[in-house]
Amino acid sequence: MKRNSKILVFILAFSLLIGSAFCFAATADEEPAKKLTVISQNVEYSDTLYLYYAVYPENVDTEGLKLEIYTSNPTGEATPVATVTESTEVTITDTDSTEYVCRAFKSPGIALKDMSAQLYVKAVAADGTESSVRRYSVVEYFNEMSFTTEDESRSAAYRDMLKAGDAAQLILNHYPNDNANDYASNYKYVTVTDDTLADGFDRGVYLTGTSVTLNYTGSDAANTGWTVENLMTGETEYVAFGSAIVLDAHVSLTPTIKPYERGEGLYWTNSSLREGNSRAYNFNGTLTDGKLNGQNSTTTAEGTYTDGAAMLKKLDSSEVYFYYSHGNYETMCTSGELGVANATCHIYEFDYKISEIVDQTSLFNLGNNDQIYVVKNSDGETYSIGTKDTSSFVANEWFNIRFEIYKGAGANGENLVKIFINNEYATTKTFATATTDNNYSRIRWYIRSYYSVDTTISVDNLIHAASTKTYVAE
């Protein structure tokens, strides 16, 4: 129920004053003075919390509707520990402003020391219609609210309530199963998008250090694992399907495709695919070692090797670029300067990252006029190369680009270039340049003039090769 849920918390302070006995002296001739002394006082520790559940009836008579409560997931002829028959009408408004008229049930009181106790509930109508089982606890409620409210002070207050549960457990020395680690704030909150945890629920709380597994039953076969997002810091990591996830943080789990990591390019990882004398550069040296020929300017751009990659930083409003050039295209593809005689395909593969992306302001130049632009996709957030909506990448993340240039493969003898992103085919572009052009032995990585100052591009794991494979339309 999130923001529409209600929970009442009554906390009375626990205190104890140990009194003292008093002795009164009197002479034998005097009658002792009358006096009453309160020597001890105490407060009953009577904290109580309640969970509320809204039940939305669709074509079901609410007369006789009840809420059955269990302490474990009910199966077979399980007997509820409590049954609530009294309910009130409430209207719940969804995020899309849809209103649902529901019946609200109030759970029995839950002691503050028991706020981590899991309740399993299901609604049952008089005609036998049952809802699915929902699992909830006060600890889950406070965690859920702390991560869904936009009010930072309230979020902090919800987390403080968990500490109140810790205090109650400490004072009363109450730890389920005698586990000293089983206290309210030591639970981690987990949500799963599109799928469920192995216990069948799409969210819940689990003790820190618990190893959870997930059932992926989605229909998108492209997904290979989970994006695990830390709900406190926003940091993410990728975990492959089938791998256990140890909970050391509050997280959300979303099915995803494995993000690209540099060094995973097809030709980089499979040297057997490289014909002849292909060149492979990992840029662990300096910019003067011949791996890159250089940059167009040392006053408007700064070229360095950073973190094992060639990085170009734009210093002013000028257009700047890295470039690589080796030999003559026709010579390499006919007489075999790359060791492949009569080659029909010229290949550049490299890992690439850019710090800022603006539509058509980053480009790759493979000839005098043969330019391929970075273009914005229809979603307005991701980008493709050459043709929009053919791939999906963003700024500040490594991805792999492969250009396969096929000599004279076009209908009128034009050169065609297949573009692959992260080893997946994206699109094919037609180059107007004649097949005899010599400039395909060169590639330039541009940051165009209307990029902001300090924009950087990084290039790593460059493959330059020729091949005898023939063009096949995708």
Side-chain angles (χ1 to χ4, degrees), residues 9-11 45 47-49 110-116 138 142 161 164-169 184:
V9 183
F10 301 93
I11 305 175
Y45 198 90
D47 53 288
T48 307
L49 306 99
I110 302 169
L112 189 62
K113 66 182 177 62
D114 292 322
M115 66 162 60
S116 62
V138 177
F142 285 139
M161 286 302 303
D166 294 349
Q169 290 187 249

Side-chain angles (χ1 to χ4, degrees), residues 86-241:
E86 183 179 347
S87 64
T88 58
E89 183 178 295
V90 295
T91 299
I92 304 297
T93 304
D94 204 351
T95 53
D96 63 359
S97 299
T98 302
E99 292 186 344
Y100 299 92
V101 179
C102 305
R103 302 302 300 180
F105 293 84
K106 175 183 174 181
S107 76
I110 302 169
L112 189 62
K113 66 182 177 62
D114 292 322
M115 66 162 60
S116 62
Q118 302 273 20
L119 296 185
Y120 296 78
V121 304
K122 64 178 178 178
V124 181
D127 64 4
T129 303
E130 296 184 356
S131 72
S132 58
V133 175
R134 295 297 300 271
R135 182 184 63 186
Y136 213 40
S137 67
V138 177
V139 164
E140 182 174 345
Y141 170 83
F142 285 139
N143 273 290
E144 184 177 46
M145 294 302 292
S146 73
F147 294 119
T148 55
T149 182
E150 297 178 0
D151 187 326
E152 292 185 3
S153 62
R154 285 184 174 272
S155 179
Y158 291 128
R159 306 220 67 79
D160 287 342
M161 286 302 303
L162 295 171
K163 296 178 182 177
D166 294 349
Q169 290 187 249
L170 177 63
I171 291 169
L172 300 176
N173 192 30
H174 174 77
Y175 299 97
N177 302 313
D178 295 323
N179 182 358
N181 291 317
D182 193 342
Y183 53 90
S185 66
N186 198 32
Y187 280 80
K188 300 306 181 188
Y189 179 62
V190 182
T191 66
V192 185
T193 299
D194 294 336
D195 282 284
T196 65
L197 295 154
D199 54 20
F201 297 93
D202 63 1
R203 65 194 59 222
V205 288
Y206 303 85
L207 279 173
T208 299
T210 299
S211 178
V212 298
T213 54
L214 298 95
N215 297 323
Y216 179 66
T217 57
S219 58
D220 190 348
N223 288 328
T224 57
W226 306 97
T227 292
V228 181
E229 179 183 0
N230 186 315
L231 294 174
M232 299 290 286
T233 66
E235 296 178 349
T236 62
E237 66 172 325
Y238 171 83
V239 176
F241 288 152

